[in-house]
Amino acid sequence: MAIISKGSERDARYARIAPVCKLLWVGFRVLAYIAGILVGLLGVIAVVLIFVNVTAEEMLFTPYMKVLENGMFDVSLGNGVRVIVDSSVGAASIKGTVYAGLFTLMAGLTVCIPVFHFLSNLMKNVAAGKVLSEYNAACVNYIGMSIMLGNPLVLLVQRFFNYKLMSIFVKNVELKFDFGIDLFGFMLGLLIIVIGTIYGYACNIHREETALVVRENR
């Protein structure tokens, strides 16, 4: 009896995922749209910024840039690096830091769009009881592929702009761009793809067994 009781508790615990997925698929769908809208807005801001012609002090409108009391500029370059530079720094240099933040954020949001989209589709199917649909496995594989390819791309954009900013603000130092290799994002995406493939195999076996039972009962 104890074994049956434990089994019933386990089944009930797993069954709770269905109503949760009904909320999650809507949430992820909304996040996908928000990410897409933000990418578009950031793109518009980037274009408008080309035609902005103001002084360096007027360009310091972001939270990570400010003018100090002595007239020096306190500018964050990302990756935990802040520089204190004099007012001889031009508006073009300050504008470059804004572009670095814009394009890095756009790259991250662009990767999030397909991840949120396929998560939404996966949760929607689970909420509808289509747990063993092979499309679910495809969604998992697409999520893994987006992470495996997108994460190194985001880090590459981030490294490039960090290098450009360092070359602008850090003088008298020889700087070289290092592409770097991010194995964590690649391995995480690959692991998700492997799990998705196993999931797809299980769905395929279930479909074949269901078809076999139907034929035998005819």
Side-chain angles (χ1 to χ4, degrees), residues 59-129:
M59 283 294 299
L60 298 176
F61 58 86
T62 60
Y64 53 89
M65 303 178 192
K66 59 184 177 180
V67 181
L68 303 179
E69 293 181 356
N70 57 3
M72 303 287 282
F73 295 160
D74 181 355
V75 182
S76 173
L77 302 183
N79 293 329
V81 178
R82 302 184 70 89
V83 294
I84 308 298
V85 294
D86 57 39
S87 57
S88 63
V89 174
S93 298
I94 301 299
K95 188 182 291 187
T97 63
V98 178
Y99 273 119
L102 285 176
F103 285 117
T104 301
L105 186 57
M106 286 175 66
L109 289 172
T110 300
V111 175
C112 288
I113 292 173
V115 173
F116 289 151
H117 172 73
F118 290 114
L119 271 174
S120 174
N121 290 346
L122 175 62
M123 296 301 170
K124 185 177 182 180
N125 269 4
V126 173

Side-chain angles (χ1 to χ4, degrees), residues 35 96 169 214:
F169 290 100
V214 172

Side-chain angles (χ1 to χ4, degrees), residues 140-141 143-149 151-152 182-196:
V140 175
N141 284 339
I143 292 170
M145 191 177 302
S146 298
I147 294 174
M148 185 173 66
L149 300 179
N151 188 68
D182 176 64
L183 292 179
F184 176 77
F186 180 84
M187 295 303 296
L188 176 61
L190 184 61
L191 177 62
I192 294 175
I193 291 175
V194 170
I195 293 173

Side-chain angles (χ1 to χ4, degrees), residues 47 128-129:
V47 173

Side-chain angles (χ1 to χ4, degrees), residues 5-188:
S5 177
K6 290 181 179 178
S8 299
E9 292 177 0
R10 184 173 61 251
D11 293 342
R13 183 172 67 251
Y14 290 142
R16 296 191 191 105
I17 192 63
V20 174
C21 287
K22 289 181 180 179
L23 299 175
L24 289 179
W25 86 262
V26 176
F28 283 124
R29 184 62 56 88
V30 171
L31 287 175
Y33 283 123
I34 292 176
I37 292 172
L38 287 176
V39 169
L41 288 176
L42 292 173
V44 172
I45 292 173
V47 173
V48 171
L49 198 58
I50 297 175
F51 304 99
V52 173
N53 185 20
V54 296
T55 64
E57 290 84 354
E58 293 173 319
M59 283 294 299
L60 298 176
F61 58 86
T62 60
Y64 53 89
M65 303 178 192
K66 59 184 177 180
V67 181
L68 303 179
E69 293 181 356
N70 57 3
M72 303 287 282
F73 295 160
D74 181 355
V75 182
S76 173
L77 302 183
N79 293 329
V81 178
R82 302 184 70 89
V83 294
I84 308 298
V85 294
D86 57 39
S87 57
S88 63
V89 174
S93 298
I94 301 299
K95 188 182 291 187
T97 63
V98 178
Y99 273 119
L102 285 176
F103 285 117
T104 301
L105 186 57
M106 286 175 66
L109 289 172
T110 300
V111 175
C112 288
I113 292 173
V115 173
F116 289 151
H117 172 73
F118 290 114
L119 271 174
S120 174
N121 290 346
L122 175 62
M123 296 301 170
K124 185 177 182 180
N125 269 4
V126 173
K130 302 176 183 178
V131 181
L132 293 175
S133 169
E134 293 182 25
Y135 178 68
N136 295 345
C139 288
V140 175
N141 284 339
Y142 288 139
I143 292 170
M145 191 177 302
S146 298
I147 294 174
M148 185 173 66
L149 300 179
N151 188 68
L153 176 62
V154 172
L155 291 179
L156 177 62
V157 172
Q158 187 177 22
R159 288 192 186 102
F160 174 74
F161 279 109
N162 191 59
Y163 159 74
K164 293 298 293 183
L165 293 178
M166 292 290 287
S167 65
I168 291 173
F169 290 100
V170 180
K171 305 298 183 182
N172 302 322
V173 176
E174 183 180 359
L175 298 174
K176 293 183 179 180
F177 179 60
D178 181 15
F179 282 92
I181 299 176
D182 176 64
L183 292 179
F184 176 77
F186 180 84
M187 295 303 296
L188 176 61

